[in-house]
mmCIF file with all atom_site columns, all heavy atoms in Angstrom:
data_model
loop_
_atom_site.group_PDB
_atom_site.id
_atom_site.type_symbol
_atom_site.label_atom_id
_atom_site.label_alt_id
_atom_site.label_comp_id
_atom_site.label_asym_id
_atom_site.label_entity_id
_atom_site.label_seq_id
_atom_site.pdbx_PDB_ins_code
_atom_site.Cartn_x
_atom_site.Cartn_y
_atom_site.Cartn_z
_atom_site.occupancy
_atom_site.B_iso_or_equiv
_atom_site.pdbx_formal_charge
_atom_site.auth_seq_id
_atom_site.auth_comp_id
_atom_site.auth_asym_id
_atom_site.auth_atom_id
_atom_site.pdbx_PDB_model_num
ATOM 1   N N   . SER B 1 308 ? 64.447 -17.324 226.056 1.00 88.00 ? 308 SER B N   1
ATOM 2   C CA  . SER B 1 308 ? 65.078 -17.796 224.819 1.00 88.00 ? 308 SER B CA  1
ATOM 3   C C   . SER B 1 308 ? 65.265 -16.638 223.838 1.00 88.00 ? 308 SER B C   1
ATOM 4   O O   . SER B 1 308 ? 66.262 -16.565 223.119 1.00 88.00 ? 308 SER B O   1
ATOM 5   C CB  . SER B 1 308 ? 64.222 -18.895 224.177 1.00 88.00 ? 308 SER B CB  1
ATOM 6   O OG  . SER B 1 308 ? 62.951 -18.377 223.857 1.00 88.00 ? 308 SER B OG  1
ATOM 7   N N   . ALA B 1 309 ? 64.296 -15.703 223.834 1.00 89.00 ? 309 ALA B N   1
ATOM 8   C CA  . ALA B 1 309 ? 64.415 -14.537 222.959 1.00 89.00 ? 309 ALA B CA  1
ATOM 9   C C   . ALA B 1 309 ? 65.617 -13.692 223.374 1.00 89.00 ? 309 ALA B C   1
ATOM 10  O O   . ALA B 1 309 ? 66.370 -13.194 222.529 1.00 89.00 ? 309 ALA B O   1
ATOM 11  C CB  . ALA B 1 309 ? 63.144 -13.698 223.007 1.00 89.00 ? 309 ALA B CB  1
ATOM 12  N N   . ILE B 1 310 ? 65.820 -13.566 224.691 1.00 89.00 ? 310 ILE B N   1
ATOM 13  C CA  . ILE B 1 310 ? 66.957 -12.776 225.181 1.00 89.00 ? 310 ILE B CA  1
ATOM 14  C C   . ILE B 1 310 ? 68.268 -13.440 224.786 1.00 89.00 ? 310 ILE B C   1
ATOM 15  O O   . ILE B 1 310 ? 69.193 -12.794 224.304 1.00 89.00 ? 310 ILE B O   1
ATOM 16  C CB  . ILE B 1 310 ? 66.879 -12.600 226.715 1.00 89.00 ? 310 ILE B CB  1
ATOM 17  C CG1 . ILE B 1 310 ? 65.639 -11.791 227.066 1.00 89.00 ? 310 ILE B CG1 1
ATOM 18  C CG2 . ILE B 1 310 ? 68.136 -11.928 227.246 1.00 89.00 ? 310 ILE B CG2 1
ATOM 19  C CD1 . ILE B 1 310 ? 65.427 -11.588 228.543 1.00 89.00 ? 310 ILE B CD1 1
ATOM 20  N N   . GLU B 1 311 ? 68.310 -14.771 224.971 1.00 87.00 ? 311 GLU B N   1
ATOM 21  C CA  . GLU B 1 311 ? 69.529 -15.495 224.612 1.00 87.00 ? 311 GLU B CA  1
ATOM 22  C C   . GLU B 1 311 ? 69.859 -15.306 223.139 1.00 87.00 ? 311 GLU B C   1
ATOM 23  O O   . GLU B 1 311 ? 71.023 -15.120 222.770 1.00 87.00 ? 311 GLU B O   1
ATOM 24  C CB  . GLU B 1 311 ? 69.358 -16.985 224.918 1.00 87.00 ? 311 GLU B CB  1
ATOM 25  C CG  . GLU B 1 311 ? 69.835 -17.337 226.312 1.00 87.00 ? 311 GLU B CG  1
ATOM 26  C CD  . GLU B 1 311 ? 69.497 -18.771 226.677 1.00 87.00 ? 311 GLU B CD  1
ATOM 27  O OE1 . GLU B 1 311 ? 70.151 -19.703 226.187 1.00 87.00 ? 311 GLU B OE1 1
ATOM 28  O OE2 . GLU B 1 311 ? 68.535 -18.955 227.469 1.00 87.00 ? 311 GLU B OE2 1
ATOM 29  N N   . ALA B 1 312 ? 68.817 -15.295 222.309 1.00 88.00 ? 312 ALA B N   1
ATOM 30  C CA  . ALA B 1 312 ? 69.042 -15.146 220.872 1.00 88.00 ? 312 ALA B CA  1
ATOM 31  C C   . ALA B 1 312 ? 69.517 -13.746 220.517 1.00 88.00 ? 312 ALA B C   1
ATOM 32  O O   . ALA B 1 312 ? 70.242 -13.550 219.545 1.00 88.00 ? 312 ALA B O   1
ATOM 33  C CB  . ALA B 1 312 ? 67.757 -15.472 220.109 1.00 88.00 ? 312 ALA B CB  1
ATOM 34  N N   . LEU B 1 313 ? 69.075 -12.766 221.294 1.00 90.00 ? 313 LEU B N   1
ATOM 35  C CA  . LEU B 1 313 ? 69.362 -11.380 220.917 1.00 90.00 ? 313 LEU B CA  1
ATOM 36  C C   . LEU B 1 313 ? 69.553 -10.505 222.159 1.00 90.00 ? 313 LEU B C   1
ATOM 37  O O   . LEU B 1 313 ? 68.637 -9.822  222.603 1.00 90.00 ? 313 LEU B O   1
ATOM 38  C CB  . LEU B 1 313 ? 68.199 -10.861 220.061 1.00 90.00 ? 313 LEU B CB  1
ATOM 39  C CG  . LEU B 1 313 ? 68.478 -9.690  219.113 1.00 90.00 ? 313 LEU B CG  1
ATOM 40  C CD1 . LEU B 1 313 ? 69.651 -9.980  218.198 1.00 90.00 ? 313 LEU B CD1 1
ATOM 41  C CD2 . LEU B 1 313 ? 67.239 -9.378  218.309 1.00 90.00 ? 313 LEU B CD2 1
ATOM 42  N N   . ILE B 1 314 ? 70.745 -10.545 222.718 1.00 89.00 ? 314 ILE B N   1
ATOM 43  C CA  . ILE B 1 314 ? 71.080 -9.817  223.937 1.00 89.00 ? 314 ILE B CA  1
ATOM 44  C C   . ILE B 1 314 ? 70.751 -8.328  223.837 1.00 89.00 ? 314 ILE B C   1
ATOM 45  O O   . ILE B 1 314 ? 70.347 -7.687  224.803 1.00 89.00 ? 314 ILE B O   1
ATOM 46  C CB  . ILE B 1 314 ? 72.592 -9.979  224.262 1.00 89.00 ? 314 ILE B CB  1
ATOM 47  C CG1 . ILE B 1 314 ? 72.911 -11.412 224.666 1.00 89.00 ? 314 ILE B CG1 1
ATOM 48  C CG2 . ILE B 1 314 ? 73.038 -9.000  225.351 1.00 89.00 ? 314 ILE B CG2 1
ATOM 49  C CD1 . ILE B 1 314 ? 72.588 -11.748 226.089 1.00 89.00 ? 314 ILE B CD1 1
ATOM 50  N N   . VAL B 1 315 ? 70.907 -7.771  222.625 1.00 90.00 ? 315 VAL B N   1
ATOM 51  C CA  . VAL B 1 315 ? 70.720 -6.334  222.445 1.00 90.00 ? 315 VAL B CA  1
ATOM 52  C C   . VAL B 1 315 ? 69.342 -5.867  222.928 1.00 90.00 ? 315 VAL B C   1
ATOM 53  O O   . VAL B 1 315 ? 69.161 -4.714  223.349 1.00 90.00 ? 315 VAL B O   1
ATOM 54  C CB  . VAL B 1 315 ? 70.980 -5.937  220.969 1.00 90.00 ? 315 VAL B CB  1
ATOM 55  C CG1 . VAL B 1 315 ? 69.893 -6.485  220.059 1.00 90.00 ? 315 VAL B CG1 1
ATOM 56  C CG2 . VAL B 1 315 ? 71.095 -4.431  220.808 1.00 90.00 ? 315 VAL B CG2 1
ATOM 57  N N   . LEU B 1 316 ? 68.370 -6.764  222.909 1.00 91.00 ? 316 LEU B N   1
ATOM 58  C CA  . LEU B 1 316 ? 67.021 -6.384  223.369 1.00 91.00 ? 316 LEU B CA  1
ATOM 59  C C   . LEU B 1 316 ? 67.031 -5.910  224.819 1.00 91.00 ? 316 LEU B C   1
ATOM 60  O O   . LEU B 1 316 ? 66.268 -5.024  225.197 1.00 91.00 ? 316 LEU B O   1
ATOM 61  C CB  . LEU B 1 316 ? 66.063 -7.568  223.223 1.00 91.00 ? 316 LEU B CB  1
ATOM 62  C CG  . LEU B 1 316 ? 65.686 -7.994  221.792 1.00 91.00 ? 316 LEU B CG  1
ATOM 63  C CD1 . LEU B 1 316 ? 64.699 -9.149  221.839 1.00 91.00 ? 316 LEU B CD1 1
ATOM 64  C CD2 . LEU B 1 316 ? 65.103 -6.824  221.006 1.00 91.00 ? 316 LEU B CD2 1
ATOM 65  N N   . THR B 1 317 ? 67.894 -6.500  225.637 1.00 91.00 ? 317 THR B N   1
ATOM 66  C CA  . THR B 1 317 ? 67.882 -6.141  227.059 1.00 91.00 ? 317 THR B CA  1
ATOM 67  C C   . THR B 1 317 ? 68.389 -4.713  227.293 1.00 91.00 ? 317 THR B C   1
ATOM 68  O O   . THR B 1 317 ? 68.023 -4.091  228.277 1.00 91.00 ? 317 THR B O   1
ATOM 69  C CB  . THR B 1 317 ? 68.773 -7.090  227.900 1.00 91.00 ? 317 THR B CB  1
ATOM 70  O OG1 . THR B 1 317 ? 70.117 -6.992  227.422 1.00 91.00 ? 317 THR B OG1 1
ATOM 71  C CG2 . THR B 1 317 ? 68.301 -8.515  227.791 1.00 91.00 ? 317 THR B CG2 1
ATOM 72  N N   . PHE B 1 318 ? 69.215 -4.212  226.357 1.00 91.00 ? 318 PHE B N   1
ATOM 73  C CA  . PHE B 1 318 ? 69.748 -2.853  226.557 1.00 91.00 ? 318 PHE B CA  1
ATOM 74  C C   . PHE B 1 318 ? 68.617 -1.834  226.672 1.00 91.00 ? 318 PHE B C   1
ATOM 75  O O   . PHE B 1 318 ? 68.749 -0.829  227.358 1.00 91.00 ? 318 PHE B O   1
ATOM 76  C CB  . PHE B 1 318 ? 70.647 -2.419  225.384 1.00 91.00 ? 318 PHE B CB  1
ATOM 77  C CG  . PHE B 1 318 ? 71.809 -3.342  225.110 1.00 91.00 ? 318 PHE B CG  1
ATOM 78  C CD1 . PHE B 1 318 ? 72.564 -3.198  223.949 1.00 91.00 ? 318 PHE B CD1 1
ATOM 79  C CD2 . PHE B 1 318 ? 72.158 -4.354  226.005 1.00 91.00 ? 318 PHE B CD2 1
ATOM 80  C CE1 . PHE B 1 318 ? 73.632 -4.024  223.686 1.00 91.00 ? 318 PHE B CE1 1
ATOM 81  C CE2 . PHE B 1 318 ? 73.230 -5.195  225.735 1.00 91.00 ? 318 PHE B CE2 1
ATOM 82  C CZ  . PHE B 1 318 ? 73.967 -5.034  224.564 1.00 91.00 ? 318 PHE B CZ  1
ATOM 83  N N   . TYR B 1 319 ? 67.518 -2.103  225.958 1.00 92.00 ? 319 TYR B N   1
ATOM 84  C CA  . TYR B 1 319 ? 66.453 -1.099  225.878 1.00 92.00 ? 319 TYR B CA  1
ATOM 85  C C   . TYR B 1 319 ? 65.298 -1.368  226.849 1.00 92.00 ? 319 TYR B C   1
ATOM 86  O O   . TYR B 1 319 ? 64.314 -0.648  226.853 1.00 92.00 ? 319 TYR B O   1
ATOM 87  C CB  . TYR B 1 319 ? 65.950 -0.992  224.428 1.00 92.00 ? 319 TYR B CB  1
ATOM 88  C CG  . TYR B 1 319 ? 67.055 -0.490  223.534 1.00 92.00 ? 319 TYR B CG  1
ATOM 89  C CD1 . TYR B 1 319 ? 67.899 -1.367  222.870 1.00 92.00 ? 319 TYR B CD1 1
ATOM 90  C CD2 . TYR B 1 319 ? 67.279 0.876   223.435 1.00 92.00 ? 319 TYR B CD2 1
ATOM 91  C CE1 . TYR B 1 319 ? 68.944 -0.904  222.097 1.00 92.00 ? 319 TYR B CE1 1
ATOM 92  C CE2 . TYR B 1 319 ? 68.330 1.350   222.657 1.00 92.00 ? 319 TYR B CE2 1
ATOM 93  C CZ  . TYR B 1 319 ? 69.162 0.459   221.987 1.00 92.00 ? 319 TYR B CZ  1
ATOM 94  O OH  . TYR B 1 319 ? 70.201 0.929   221.241 1.00 92.00 ? 319 TYR B OH  1
ATOM 95  N N   . MET B 1 320 ? 65.442 -2.378  227.677 1.00 91.00 ? 320 MET B N   1
ATOM 96  C CA  . MET B 1 320 ? 64.374 -2.674  228.639 1.00 91.00 ? 320 MET B CA  1
ATOM 97  C C   . MET B 1 320 ? 64.117 -1.512  229.611 1.00 91.00 ? 320 MET B C   1
ATOM 98  O O   . MET B 1 320 ? 62.974 -1.105  229.794 1.00 91.00 ? 320 MET B O   1
ATOM 99  C CB  . MET B 1 320 ? 64.670 -3.964  229.398 1.00 91.00 ? 320 MET B CB  1
ATOM 100 C CG  . MET B 1 320 ? 63.933 -5.156  228.804 1.00 91.00 ? 320 MET B CG  1
ATOM 101 S SD  . MET B 1 320 ? 64.514 -6.744  229.470 1.00 91.00 ? 320 MET B SD  1
ATOM 102 C CE  . MET B 1 320 ? 64.389 -6.497  231.219 1.00 91.00 ? 320 MET B CE  1
ATOM 103 N N   . PRO B 1 321 ? 65.158 -0.945  230.247 1.00 90.00 ? 321 PRO B N   1
ATOM 104 C CA  . PRO B 1 321 ? 64.898 0.178   231.171 1.00 90.00 ? 321 PRO B CA  1
ATOM 105 C C   . PRO B 1 321 ? 64.264 1.376   230.465 1.00 90.00 ? 321 PRO B C   1
ATOM 106 O O   . PRO B 1 321 ? 63.385 2.026   231.010 1.00 90.00 ? 321 PRO B O   1
ATOM 107 C CB  . PRO B 1 321 ? 66.291 0.534   231.697 1.00 90.00 ? 321 PRO B CB  1
ATOM 108 C CG  . PRO B 1 321 ? 67.096 -0.702  231.537 1.00 90.00 ? 321 PRO B CG  1
ATOM 109 C CD  . PRO B 1 321 ? 66.581 -1.350  230.288 1.00 90.00 ? 321 PRO B CD  1
ATOM 110 N N   . LEU B 1 322 ? 64.704 1.652   229.227 1.00 91.00 ? 322 LEU B N   1
ATOM 111 C CA  . LEU B 1 322 ? 64.138 2.770   228.488 1.00 91.00 ? 322 LEU B CA  1
ATOM 112 C C   . LEU B 1 322 ? 62.654 2.563   228.243 1.00 91.00 ? 322 LEU B C   1
ATOM 113 O O   . LEU B 1 322 ? 61.825 3.463   228.422 1.00 91.00 ? 322 LEU B O   1
ATOM 114 C CB  . LEU B 1 322 ? 64.885 2.918   227.154 1.00 91.00 ? 322 LEU B CB  1
ATOM 115 C CG  . LEU B 1 322 ? 64.308 3.923   226.165 1.00 91.00 ? 322 LEU B CG  1
ATOM 116 C CD1 . LEU B 1 322 ? 64.252 5.306   226.768 1.00 91.00 ? 322 LEU B CD1 1
ATOM 117 C CD2 . LEU B 1 322 ? 65.134 3.952   224.879 1.00 91.00 ? 322 LEU B CD2 1
ATOM 118 N N   . LEU B 1 323 ? 62.301 1.339   227.845 1.00 91.00 ? 323 LEU B N   1
ATOM 119 C CA  . LEU B 1 323 ? 60.907 1.007   227.575 1.00 91.00 ? 323 LEU B CA  1
ATOM 120 C C   . LEU B 1 323 ? 60.069 1.163   228.845 1.00 91.00 ? 323 LEU B C   1
ATOM 121 O O   . LEU B 1 323 ? 58.982 1.743   228.824 1.00 91.00 ? 323 LEU B O   1
ATOM 122 C CB  . LEU B 1 323 ? 60.849 -0.449  227.105 1.00 91.00 ? 323 LEU B CB  1
ATOM 123 C CG  . LEU B 1 323 ? 59.816 -0.741  226.042 1.00 91.00 ? 323 LEU B CG  1
ATOM 124 C CD1 . LEU B 1 323 ? 60.397 -0.447  224.674 1.00 91.00 ? 323 LEU B CD1 1
ATOM 125 C CD2 . LEU B 1 323 ? 59.371 -2.184  226.131 1.00 91.00 ? 323 LEU B CD2 1
ATOM 126 N N   . ASN B 1 324 ? 60.600 0.649   229.948 1.00 89.00 ? 324 ASN B N   1
ATOM 127 C CA  . ASN B 1 324 ? 59.879 0.752   231.211 1.00 89.00 ? 324 ASN B CA  1
ATOM 128 C C   . ASN B 1 324 ? 59.716 2.204   231.637 1.00 89.00 ? 324 ASN B C   1
ATOM 129 O O   . ASN B 1 324 ? 58.634 2.624   232.069 1.00 89.00 ? 324 ASN B O   1
ATOM 130 C CB  . ASN B 1 324 ? 60.630 0.008   232.320 1.00 89.00 ? 324 ASN B CB  1
ATOM 131 C CG  . ASN B 1 324 ? 60.509 -1.496  232.173 1.00 89.00 ? 324 ASN B CG  1
ATOM 132 O OD1 . ASN B 1 324 ? 59.624 -1.982  231.462 1.00 89.00 ? 324 ASN B OD1 1
ATOM 133 N ND2 . ASN B 1 324 ? 61.383 -2.229  232.822 1.00 89.00 ? 324 ASN B ND2 1
ATOM 134 N N   . ALA B 1 325 ? 60.797 2.968   231.509 1.00 88.00 ? 325 ALA B N   1
ATOM 135 C CA  . ALA B 1 325 ? 60.752 4.361   231.951 1.00 88.00 ? 325 ALA B CA  1
ATOM 136 C C   . ALA B 1 325 ? 59.754 5.148   231.103 1.00 88.00 ? 325 ALA B C   1
ATOM 137 O O   . ALA B 1 325 ? 58.946 5.917   231.633 1.00 88.00 ? 325 ALA B O   1
ATOM 138 C CB  . ALA B 1 325 ? 62.141 4.986   231.865 1.00 88.00 ? 325 ALA B CB  1
ATOM 139 N N   . ALA B 1 326 ? 59.781 4.932   229.793 1.00 90.00 ? 326 ALA B N   1
ATOM 140 C CA  . ALA B 1 326 ? 58.871 5.667   228.915 1.00 90.00 ? 326 ALA B CA  1
ATOM 141 C C   . ALA B 1 326 ? 57.413 5.350   229.265 1.00 90.00 ? 326 ALA B C   1
ATOM 142 O O   . ALA B 1 326 ? 56.552 6.235   229.312 1.00 90.00 ? 326 ALA B O   1
ATOM 143 C CB  . ALA B 1 326 ? 59.150 5.330   227.454 1.00 90.00 ? 326 ALA B CB  1
ATOM 144 N N   . GLY B 1 327 ? 57.151 4.078   229.541 1.00 91.00 ? 327 GLY B N   1
ATOM 145 C CA  . GLY B 1 327 ? 55.792 3.694   229.936 1.00 91.00 ? 327 GLY B CA  1
ATOM 146 C C   . GLY B 1 327 ? 55.407 4.326   231.257 1.00 91.00 ? 327 GLY B C   1
ATOM 147 O O   . GLY B 1 327 ? 54.324 4.894   231.406 1.00 91.00 ? 327 GLY B O   1
ATOM 148 N N   . GLY B 1 328 ? 56.315 4.257   232.221 1.00 87.00 ? 328 GLY B N   1
ATOM 149 C CA  . GLY B 1 328 ? 56.033 4.835   233.538 1.00 87.00 ? 328 GLY B CA  1
ATOM 150 C C   . GLY B 1 328 ? 55.803 6.326   233.457 1.00 87.00 ? 328 GLY B C   1
ATOM 151 O O   . GLY B 1 328 ? 54.847 6.857   234.038 1.00 87.00 ? 328 GLY B O   1
ATOM 152 N N   . ASN B 1 329 ? 56.641 7.013   232.702 1.00 87.00 ? 329 ASN B N   1
ATOM 153 C CA  . ASN B 1 329 ? 56.522 8.470   232.613 1.00 87.00 ? 329 ASN B CA  1
ATOM 154 C C   . ASN B 1 329 ? 55.220 8.907   231.951 1.00 87.00 ? 329 ASN B C   1
ATOM 155 O O   . ASN B 1 329 ? 54.497 9.743   232.475 1.00 87.00 ? 329 ASN B O   1
ATOM 156 C CB  . ASN B 1 329 ? 57.679 9.056   231.792 1.00 87.00 ? 329 ASN B CB  1
ATOM 157 C CG  . ASN B 1 329 ? 59.008 8.835   232.468 1.00 87.00 ? 329 ASN B CG  1
ATOM 158 O OD1 . ASN B 1 329 ? 59.051 8.540   233.656 1.00 87.00 ? 329 ASN B OD1 1
ATOM 159 N ND2 . ASN B 1 329 ? 60.078 8.959   231.727 1.00 87.00 ? 329 ASN B ND2 1
ATOM 160 N N   . THR B 1 330 ? 54.950 8.348   230.778 1.00 91.00 ? 330 THR B N   1
ATOM 161 C CA  . THR B 1 330 ? 53.755 8.807   230.061 1.00 91.00 ? 330 THR B CA  1
ATOM 162 C C   . THR B 1 330 ? 52.485 8.373   230.800 1.00 91.00 ? 330 THR B C   1
ATOM 163 O O   . THR B 1 330 ? 51.511 9.111   230.840 1.00 91.00 ? 330 THR B O   1
ATOM 164 C CB  . THR B 1 330 ? 53.755 8.265   228.622 1.00 91.00 ? 330 THR B CB  1
ATOM 165 O OG1 . THR B 1 330 ? 53.973 6.855   228.664 1.00 91.00 ? 330 THR B OG1 1
ATOM 166 C CG2 . THR B 1 330 ? 54.868 8.898   227.806 1.00 91.00 ? 330 THR B CG2 1
ATOM 167 N N   . GLY B 1 331 ? 52.535 7.197   231.429 1.00 90.00 ? 331 GLY B N   1
ATOM 168 C CA  . GLY B 1 331 ? 51.376 6.755   232.214 1.00 90.00 ? 331 GLY B CA  1
ATOM 169 C C   . GLY B 1 331 ? 51.140 7.650   233.416 1.00 90.00 ? 331 GLY B C   1
ATOM 170 O O   . GLY B 1 331 ? 50.007 8.044   233.708 1.00 90.00 ? 331 GLY B O   1
ATOM 171 N N   . SER B 1 332 ? 52.220 8.029   234.112 1.00 86.00 ? 332 SER B N   1
ATOM 172 C CA  . SER B 1 332 ? 52.084 8.922   235.269 1.00 86.00 ? 332 SER B CA  1
ATOM 173 C C   . SER B 1 332 ? 51.539 10.278  234.840 1.00 86.00 ? 332 SER B C   1
ATOM 174 O O   . SER B 1 332 ? 50.710 10.874  235.526 1.00 86.00 ? 332 SER B O   1
ATOM 175 C CB  . SER B 1 332 ? 53.428 9.151   235.946 1.00 86.00 ? 332 SER B CB  1
ATOM 176 O OG  . SER B 1 332 ? 53.923 7.967   236.472 1.00 86.00 ? 332 SER B OG  1
#
Side-chain angles (χ1 to χ4, degrees):
Chain B
S308 61
I310 296 178
E311 268 172 75
L313 203 54
I314 292 279
V315 69
L316 291 182
T317 61
F318 303 169
Y319 296 92
M320 262 169 53
L322 172 59
L323 216 86
N324 286 342
N329 295 343
T330 51
S332 296

